[in-house]
PDB file of all heavy atoms in Angstrom:
ATOM      1  N   VAL E 108       9.637 -22.490 -18.440  1.00 97.00           N
ATOM      2  CA  VAL E 108      10.201 -23.137 -19.623  1.00 97.00           C
ATOM      3  C   VAL E 108      11.369 -24.017 -19.213  1.00 97.00           C
ATOM      4  O   VAL E 108      12.076 -23.732 -18.256  1.00 97.00           O
ATOM      5  CB  VAL E 108      10.669 -22.103 -20.669  1.00 97.00           C
ATOM      6  CG1 VAL E 108       9.484 -21.344 -21.235  1.00 97.00           C
ATOM      7  CG2 VAL E 108      11.688 -21.133 -20.092  1.00 97.00           C
ATOM      8  N   ARG E 151       9.755 -27.810 -27.590  1.00 98.00           N
ATOM      9  CA  ARG E 151      10.668 -26.982 -28.374  1.00 98.00           C
ATOM     10  C   ARG E 151      11.846 -27.836 -28.825  1.00 98.00           C
ATOM     11  O   ARG E 151      12.376 -28.622 -28.042  1.00 98.00           O
ATOM     12  CB  ARG E 151      11.116 -25.747 -27.605  1.00 98.00           C
ATOM     13  CG  ARG E 151      11.676 -25.941 -26.216  1.00 98.00           C
ATOM     14  CD  ARG E 151      10.730 -25.605 -25.085  1.00 98.00           C
ATOM     15  NE  ARG E 151      10.107 -24.294 -25.190  1.00 98.00           N
ATOM     16  CZ  ARG E 151      10.624 -23.176 -24.694  1.00 98.00           C
ATOM     17  NH1 ARG E 151      11.796 -23.202 -24.093  1.00 98.00           N
ATOM     18  NH2 ARG E 151       9.967 -22.048 -24.783  1.00 98.00           N
ATOM     19  N   ARG E 185      25.577 -20.675 -28.040  1.00 98.00           N
ATOM     20  CA  ARG E 185      25.106 -19.826 -26.954  1.00 98.00           C
ATOM     21  C   ARG E 185      25.819 -20.278 -25.682  1.00 98.00           C
ATOM     22  O   ARG E 185      26.274 -21.426 -25.581  1.00 98.00           O
ATOM     23  CB  ARG E 185      23.591 -20.034 -26.798  1.00 98.00           C
ATOM     24  CG  ARG E 185      22.944 -19.170 -25.747  1.00 98.00           C
ATOM     25  CD  ARG E 185      21.453 -19.475 -25.677  1.00 98.00           C
ATOM     26  NE  ARG E 185      20.747 -18.510 -24.848  1.00 98.00           N
ATOM     27  CZ  ARG E 185      19.445 -18.306 -24.902  1.00 98.00           C
ATOM     28  NH1 ARG E 185      18.691 -18.998 -25.736  1.00 98.00           N
ATOM     29  NH2 ARG E 185      18.855 -17.419 -24.134  1.00 98.00           N
ATOM     30  N   LYS E 189      23.051 -20.941 -20.013  1.00 97.00           N
ATOM     31  CA  LYS E 189      21.627 -21.052 -20.304  1.00 97.00           C
ATOM     32  C   LYS E 189      21.158 -22.487 -20.089  1.00 97.00           C
ATOM     33  O   LYS E 189      21.793 -23.437 -20.560  1.00 97.00           O
ATOM     34  CB  LYS E 189      21.359 -20.605 -21.752  1.00 97.00           C
ATOM     35  CG  LYS E 189      19.894 -20.625 -22.143  1.00 97.00           C
ATOM     36  CD  LYS E 189      19.075 -19.583 -21.421  1.00 97.00           C
ATOM     37  CE  LYS E 189      17.598 -19.739 -21.720  1.00 97.00           C
ATOM     38  NZ  LYS E 189      16.782 -18.725 -21.052  1.00 97.00           N
ATOM     39  N   TYR E 191      18.954 -24.143 -21.477  1.00 98.00           N
ATOM     40  CA  TYR E 191      18.699 -24.905 -22.714  1.00 98.00           C
ATOM     41  C   TYR E 191      19.900 -25.785 -23.067  1.00 98.00           C
ATOM     42  O   TYR E 191      19.735 -26.938 -23.482  1.00 98.00           O
ATOM     43  CB  TYR E 191      18.447 -23.970 -23.900  1.00 98.00           C
ATOM     44  CG  TYR E 191      17.241 -23.070 -23.786  1.00 98.00           C
ATOM     45  CD1 TYR E 191      17.069 -22.023 -24.686  1.00 98.00           C
ATOM     46  CD2 TYR E 191      16.263 -23.260 -22.824  1.00 98.00           C
ATOM     47  CE1 TYR E 191      15.966 -21.182 -24.629  1.00 98.00           C
ATOM     48  CE2 TYR E 191      15.163 -22.417 -22.741  1.00 98.00           C
ATOM     49  CZ  TYR E 191      15.019 -21.378 -23.648  1.00 98.00           C
ATOM     50  OH  TYR E 191      13.941 -20.551 -23.587  1.00 98.00           O
ATOM     51  N   ASP E 227      20.193 -17.150 -28.504  1.00 98.00           N
ATOM     52  CA  ASP E 227      20.131 -17.899 -29.767  1.00 98.00           C
ATOM     53  C   ASP E 227      20.073 -16.978 -30.985  1.00 98.00           C
ATOM     54  O   ASP E 227      20.626 -17.297 -32.038  1.00 98.00           O
ATOM     55  CB  ASP E 227      18.886 -18.810 -29.771  1.00 98.00           C
ATOM     56  CG  ASP E 227      19.060 -20.039 -28.881  1.00 98.00           C
ATOM     57  OD1 ASP E 227      20.051 -20.097 -28.116  1.00 98.00           O
ATOM     58  OD2 ASP E 227      18.203 -20.947 -28.945  1.00 98.00           O
ATOM     59  N   ASN E 245      17.104 -23.035 -30.605  1.00 98.00           N
ATOM     60  CA  ASN E 245      15.694 -23.451 -30.530  1.00 98.00           C
ATOM     61  C   ASN E 245      14.981 -22.909 -31.770  1.00 98.00           C
ATOM     62  O   ASN E 245      15.172 -21.741 -32.146  1.00 98.00           O
ATOM     63  CB  ASN E 245      15.031 -22.898 -29.269  1.00 98.00           C
ATOM     64  CG  ASN E 245      15.400 -23.693 -28.027  1.00 98.00           C
ATOM     65  OD1 ASN E 245      16.207 -24.626 -28.092  1.00 98.00           O
ATOM     66  ND2 ASN E 245      14.819 -23.324 -26.904  1.00 98.00           N
ATOM     67  N   TYR E 247      12.035 -21.888 -32.492  1.00 98.00           N
ATOM     68  CA  TYR E 247      11.136 -20.722 -32.491  1.00 98.00           C
ATOM     69  C   TYR E 247      11.904 -19.413 -32.634  1.00 98.00           C
ATOM     70  O   TYR E 247      11.377 -18.438 -33.160  1.00 98.00           O
ATOM     71  CB  TYR E 247      10.215 -20.706 -31.259  1.00 98.00           C
ATOM     72  CG  TYR E 247      10.921 -20.771 -29.930  1.00 98.00           C
ATOM     73  CD1 TYR E 247      11.345 -19.625 -29.280  1.00 98.00           C
ATOM     74  CD2 TYR E 247      11.173 -22.000 -29.322  1.00 98.00           C
ATOM     75  CE1 TYR E 247      12.007 -19.690 -28.062  1.00 98.00           C
ATOM     76  CE2 TYR E 247      11.823 -22.083 -28.111  1.00 98.00           C
ATOM     77  CZ  TYR E 247      12.237 -20.925 -27.481  1.00 98.00           C
ATOM     78  OH  TYR E 247      12.890 -21.001 -26.274  1.00 98.00           O
ATOM     79  N   TYR E 248      13.195 -19.395 -32.210  1.00 98.00           N
ATOM     80  CA  TYR E 248      14.007 -18.190 -32.423  1.00 98.00           C
ATOM     81  C   TYR E 248      14.287 -18.013 -33.922  1.00 98.00           C
ATOM     82  O   TYR E 248      14.325 -16.892 -34.429  1.00 98.00           O
ATOM     83  CB  TYR E 248      15.335 -18.268 -31.656  1.00 98.00           C
ATOM     84  CG  TYR E 248      15.167 -18.190 -30.151  1.00 98.00           C
ATOM     85  CD1 TYR E 248      15.424 -19.293 -29.348  1.00 98.00           C
ATOM     86  CD2 TYR E 248      14.746 -17.007 -29.539  1.00 98.00           C
ATOM     87  CE1 TYR E 248      15.279 -19.225 -27.976  1.00 98.00           C
ATOM     88  CE2 TYR E 248      14.595 -16.934 -28.162  1.00 98.00           C
ATOM     89  CZ  TYR E 248      14.864 -18.048 -27.384  1.00 98.00           C
ATOM     90  OH  TYR E 248      14.710 -17.978 -26.022  1.00 98.00           O
ATOM     91  N   ARG E 251      11.130 -16.560 -35.380  1.00 97.00           N
ATOM     92  CA  ARG E 251      11.006 -15.127 -35.077  1.00 97.00           C
ATOM     93  C   ARG E 251      11.910 -14.305 -35.979  1.00 97.00           C
ATOM     94  O   ARG E 251      11.510 -13.273 -36.510  1.00 97.00           O
ATOM     95  CB  ARG E 251      11.435 -14.857 -33.628  1.00 97.00           C
ATOM     96  CG  ARG E 251      10.360 -15.176 -32.614  1.00 97.00           C
ATOM     97  CD  ARG E 251      10.876 -14.772 -31.234  1.00 97.00           C
ATOM     98  NE  ARG E 251      10.340 -15.677 -30.228  1.00 97.00           N
ATOM     99  CZ  ARG E 251      10.742 -15.707 -28.964  1.00 97.00           C
ATOM    100  NH1 ARG E 251      11.707 -14.908 -28.549  1.00 97.00           N
ATOM    101  NH2 ARG E 251      10.188 -16.541 -28.107  1.00 97.00           N
ATOM    102  N   ASN E 312       4.148 -19.201 -29.845  1.00 96.00           N
ATOM    103  CA  ASN E 312       5.612 -19.113 -29.792  1.00 96.00           C
ATOM    104  C   ASN E 312       6.272 -19.980 -30.863  1.00 96.00           C
ATOM    105  O   ASN E 312       7.454 -20.303 -30.753  1.00 96.00           O
ATOM    106  CB  ASN E 312       6.113 -19.523 -28.397  1.00 96.00           C
ATOM    107  CG  ASN E 312       7.545 -19.089 -28.167  1.00 96.00           C
ATOM    108  OD1 ASN E 312       7.984 -18.065 -28.672  1.00 96.00           O
ATOM    109  ND2 ASN E 312       8.306 -19.894 -27.421  1.00 96.00           N
TER     110      ASN E 312
HETATM  111 FE1   FE X 260      13.537 -19.322 -25.198  1.00 84.24          FE
END
Side-chain angles (χ1 to χ4, degrees):
V108 294
R151 52 257 309 271
R185 183 181 190 161
K189 182 68 186 181
Y191 298 168
D227 285 10
N245 282 4
Y247 55 88
Y248 291 111
R251 280 184 213 170
N312 196 32

